[in-house]
Amino acid sequence: MIKAVLFDLDGTLLNRDESLKGFINNQYERLKRYVGHVTKAQYVARFIELDRRGYVWKDKVYQQLSQEFDISKITWEELLKDYIENFRFNCVPFDNLIQMLEELKSSNFLLGMITNGYGQFQMDNIKALSIEQYFDVILVSEWEGIKKPNPEIFQRALEKLNVSPEQSIFVGDHPENDVKASQNIGMEGIWKKDIHWEDVEANFIVNDLKELPLIIGNLTGKVEAS
């Protein structure tokens, strides 16, 4: 019997691609007096390229950006500080996020989240999405001292929820860090489809978060189709 559903954050609940585009466009406009010698299109495109979908932390991104574009009126440290403080105001959820969480919670599933990243930064983004209250446990890699795909971070979350891997589902967009890593410890792995990956082996694949309650309901009989 499935008792718990755990999620990744970026690319699964948070539409990070759209959030990042919104942030970097806004940053350029807010700090145009410092970076205006570069065109907006250049600034945005190069930032997104250097970011590598979040797998490069922004200290390196801003150092490289400042060097390439000869940004001298503002330091890369100040640009990074602006990112840390203001990204949260640009957070975009995937469609049907709240509806999906409401359905699972009303069916008495335990909900958890495991996300790689910096602790306070990720918590700020979770709060910006107004979803913190739905989760019984949230683990952020910086605070835990380990990160996905390390099996220990999954086991730690399950222990906090007091459930076994066989009683749990993990939903994420990364084929290795999320799907395979959770399957390796005995969880069901659901892949939140992402255009950057193909031929992902998962127990189930979803395009839209609204599909999750029905899939999980079919596994348990606990959720009615809405």
Side-chain angles (χ1 to χ4, degrees):
M1 171 67 78
I2 300 298
K3 294 183 177 179
V5 186
L6 292 86
F7 296 87
D8 167 54
L9 176 62
D10 296 319
T12 302
L13 305 178
L14 171 72
N15 187 334
R16 190 182 179 279
D17 290 346
E18 288 304 310
S19 301
L20 191 73
K21 286 177 190 173
F23 166 76
I24 198 62
N25 274 279
N26 288 338
Q27 183 180 64
Y28 181 88
E29 291 298 334
R30 281 186 291 102
L31 304 179
K32 198 170 183 177
R33 62 190 181 278
Y34 305 120
V35 299
H37 61 287
V38 184
T39 69
K40 187 176 184 178
Q42 286 176 311
Y43 187 83
V44 169
R46 187 57 177 145
F47 181 94
I48 291 171
E49 184 179 21
L50 291 169
D51 174 73
R52 287 185 54 230
R53 303 191 66 237
Y55 293 102
V56 178
W57 182 237
K58 274 15 98 201
D59 55 352
K60 294 181 174 62
V61 172
Y62 281 118
Q63 287 177 63
Q64 185 71 23
L65 206 65
S66 295
Q67 183 180 343
E68 287 185 16
F69 291 145
D70 193 25
I71 298 171
S72 58
K73 295 179 180 177
I74 188 171
T75 66
W76 70 262
E77 291 94 342
E78 290 171 311
L79 290 169
L80 175 62
K81 184 172 183 284
D82 182 79
Y83 173 84
I84 292 168
E85 291 178 353
N86 291 295
F87 183 88
R88 75 191 85 169
F89 302 118
N90 300 272
C91 285
V92 178
F94 279 108
D95 291 342
N96 303 304
L97 170 60
I98 299 296
Q99 175 191 335
M100 178 272 295
L101 293 174
E102 289 275 5
E103 287 188 45
L104 293 181
K105 205 67 181 171
S106 66
S107 298
N108 298 314
F109 285 103
L110 296 167
L111 299 184
M113 190 189 305
I114 306 173
T115 176
N116 287 348
Y118 287 88
Q120 193 57 54
F121 181 80
Q122 293 295 65
M123 284 304 303
D124 286 342
N125 295 340
I126 292 164
K127 290 175 181 176
L129 293 174
S130 299
I131 60 173
E132 182 185 15
Q133 70 273 19
Y134 292 99
F135 290 89
D136 300 286
V137 63
I138 297 173
L139 272 60
V140 186
S141 64
E142 182 197 16
W143 288 343
E144 298 302 318
I146 46 173
K147 65 181 182 178
K148 298 178 296 181
N150 189 323
E152 187 181 337
I153 198 166
F154 292 91
Q155 292 160 347
R156 193 174 293 179
L158 296 180
E159 285 171 11
K160 288 177 182 291
L161 292 170
N162 195 28
V163 294
S164 68
E166 294 73 24
Q167 295 172 319
S168 310
I169 291 171
F170 195 86
V171 185
D173 69 303
H174 196 288
E176 298 292 330
N177 294 347
D178 296 323
V179 179
K180 189 174 181 181
S182 60
Q183 289 174 324
N184 283 345
I185 70 160
M187 302 174 73
E188 297 266 339
I190 296 181
W191 182 47
K192 169 69 167 60
K193 200 167 185 180
D194 186 297
I195 60 169
H196 300 279
W197 307 97
E198 293 180 355
D199 302 322
V200 175
E201 293 185 14
N203 295 100
F204 299 95
I205 296 173
V206 297
N207 286 295
D208 191 301
L209 293 175
K210 69 182 178 183
E211 300 168 46
L212 280 171
L214 184 57
I215 289 173
I216 296 166
N218 287 338
L219 287 173
T220 65
K222 285 175 70 174
V223 181
E224 296 293 331
S226 58

